[in-house]
Amino acid sequence: MSNLPKSLEDLKALVGMSAALTLVRAFGGTRIFVPANVHVDHPLAGLIGLTRAQQLASVYAGTRLSIPLYSARMRTVRNGEIRQRYRHGETTVELAR
């Protein structure tokens, strides 16, 4: 079982940990409006990529999504996941993304 807040687990399941953490760093502690249609020029697409922004819109279209605050607990979980991915053969370049 993860030590992450449920809201971050939900984001992680939908768009991946890297994109979820990017959203947390950019908007943590706030609510963001997720449009029904995300295009390549939309700020969310610029932040997490068009495909991931569209995945977010497929679930949260037309709503205000609460983004959790980044905490020391989240950092610990993230670091553990990075170590695990490294042990499974991912390169440092892949881990940095």
Side-chain angles (χ1 to χ4, degrees):
M1 177 154 187
S2 174
N3 290 323
L4 295 175
K6 180 169 179 1
S7 56
L8 185 59
E9 275 296 331
D10 292 344
L11 279 175
K12 176 185 166 187
L14 185 60
V15 298
M17 185 61 146
S18 179
L21 287 174
T22 297
L23 289 170
V24 167
R25 283 192 283 279
F27 302 111
T30 66
R31 294 172 58 188
I32 61 168
F33 179 76
V34 180
N37 297 306
V38 179
H39 52 81
V40 71
D41 295 328
H42 192 277
L44 280 175
L47 191 62
I48 62 173
L50 181 60
T51 300
R52 288 185 177 95
Q54 289 171 334
Q55 290 168 328
L56 201 62
S58 73
V59 174
Y60 297 105
T63 66
R64 292 204 171 274
L65 176 63
S66 292
I67 305 296
L69 283 171
Y70 193 80
S71 68
R73 180 175 66 159
M74 294 164 108
R75 185 174 19 266
T76 300
V77 170
R78 180 210 58 195
N79 290 346
E81 288 183 1
I82 289 170
R83 283 189 294 275
Q84 182 179 21
R85 289 171 50 204
Y86 183 77
R87 283 192 295 269
H88 285 93
E90 287 191 46
T91 67
T92 54
V93 171
E94 291 168 325
L95 294 172
R97 293 185 184 153

